[in-house]
Amino acid sequence: MKIVKVHKKIIFSGLFVILVSMFSFFNICFGMQHYYKLDFSTGLVTATTLNVRSGPGLGYNVIATVKKNDYIRVFAGVGDWYIVQIEGDYVGAVSQKYVKAIYPNSNNTTNSNNNNNSTNSNTSSLSSDEQEVFNLINQQRTNQGLSALKVDYEVQNVARIKAKDMVSSNYFSHNSPTYGSPFDMLNSFKVKYSTAGENIAGNSSNSGAVNAWMNSSGHRANILNKSYNYTGIGVVSSPTYGKIYVQMFIGK
């Protein structure tokens, strides 16, 4: 399936409602502790394995774990801990020492004059599957005389979260029951763009997913759209399809 939008629109999210309900939960579970607001809402795990605890301290039980380079939603701080939500709808606390703040509109790319390279100069945040899809997509573009896409760190974040959401919430659609449309999601994560699109797929192999997109006129149009210059790719294991693929494109 593919979706494309030419002009950005401003969409108000329901984050305030979510935060109100989440903070009510924190007061019940964590008691009368001092919570403070943060200027970011997404964190990147830097530890090999990070324990998610039922409260902000080592004395609380471990309720889940997250792995290095996983993205987590961060709601608030308390002492040296973050209150977070992770895949599977677990809500708990993690040590701030092992979470890197991802600020709106920051990205992990470097400006370079070598825009015809098939890979961006900094794609270390991609998994091996995501890197392979990225290379295959850019090969299709350069074969058609188009410039290669570059990885935008914030778009990469959104694409991976969307792929995880599709697996955990068991749906296959551009419209997420959690985040809304791709454009709602980009706006919620404060990604700036002038034009945007999304391709999704369920496939057992990376080359199979890209070939399926290239054999579909709508998906092919997204891949070969000269208005797009940045991308983010999420690839997540799926018990239904083998793997779920989400590629988001933006032009700016």
Side-chain angles (χ1 to χ4, degrees):
M1 295 176 67
K2 73 98 184 180
I3 188 169
V4 62
K5 178 185 177 185
V6 176
H7 296 291
K8 178 180 177 181
K9 61 180 180 179
I10 300 174
I11 301 176
F12 295 98
S13 73
L15 182 59
F16 177 75
V17 176
I18 294 173
L19 286 176
V20 169
S21 60
M22 296 305 295
F23 271 91
S24 297
F25 177 82
F26 300 153
N27 286 336
I28 294 170
C29 292
F30 300 144
M32 299 297 293
Q33 302 203 45
H34 175 66
Y35 296 90
Y36 52 89
K37 294 181 180 179
L38 302 168
D39 57 354
F40 65 97
S41 61
T42 303
L44 181 69
V45 176
T46 60
T48 303
T49 302
L50 179 60
N51 290 329
V52 181
R53 297 182 178 271
S54 59
L58 295 177
Y60 290 88
N61 293 333
V62 176
I63 58 172
T65 58
V66 287
K67 297 186 181 300
K68 188 173 184 178
N69 292 330
D70 280 352
Y71 289 96
I72 55 178
R73 179 172 254 180
V74 183
F75 292 106
V78 53
D80 294 328
W81 295 74
Y82 290 139
I83 305 305
V84 302
Q85 180 186 26
I86 64 170
E87 185 177 356
D89 288 333
Y90 288 105
V91 175
V94 297
S95 172
Q96 293 183 7
K97 293 188 296 183
Y98 307 109
V99 176
K100 177 183 177 181
I102 304 299
Y103 289 93
N105 304 318
S106 66
N107 67 58
N108 203 33
T109 63
T110 58
N111 294 325
S112 173
N113 294 324
N114 297 321
N115 290 336
N116 292 322
N117 290 339
S118 62
T119 60
N120 186 45
S121 58
N122 190 349
T123 58
S124 60
S125 65
L126 301 184
S127 69
S128 58
D129 283 331
E130 293 162 351
Q131 181 72 63
E132 183 177 3
V133 173
F134 177 72
N135 291 342
L136 289 169
I137 292 295
N138 273 338
Q139 183 179 352
Q140 295 293 338
R141 287 178 64 90
T142 56
N143 286 346
Q144 299 297 320
L146 300 173
S147 60
L149 298 170
K150 293 169 282 188
V151 174
D152 182 284
Y153 199 46
E154 288 299 306
V155 179
Q156 173 63 28
N157 172 29
V158 175
R160 189 179 288 161
I161 291 174
K162 172 68 176 289
K164 289 181 178 180
D165 183 53
M166 288 175 65
V167 173
S168 62
S169 299
N170 193 28
Y171 70 93
F172 187 84
S173 172
H174 291 292
N175 291 315
S176 163
T178 308
Y179 300 102
S181 74
F183 315 112
D184 294 334
M185 197 169 180
L186 288 168
N187 292 330
S188 294
F189 282 85
K190 296 182 173 57
V191 177
K192 292 184 177 180
Y193 62 92
S194 59
T195 182
E198 178 185 81
N199 284 350
I200 60 175
N203 206 292
S204 59
S205 74
N206 302 330
S207 60
V210 174
N211 287 337
W213 282 338
M214 291 301 295
N215 288 324
S216 164
S217 59
H219 297 88
R220 179 185 176 92
N222 268 346
I223 291 171
L224 300 181
N225 190 329
K226 63 182 180 181
S227 298
Y228 297 144
N229 48 8
Y230 291 93
T231 190
I233 300 167
V235 182
V236 177
S237 296
S238 163
T240 304
Y241 300 99
K243 298 174 186 176
I244 282 289
Y245 298 82
V246 174
Q247 180 168 21
M248 289 186 168
F249 308 85
I250 67 167
K252 61 180 180 179

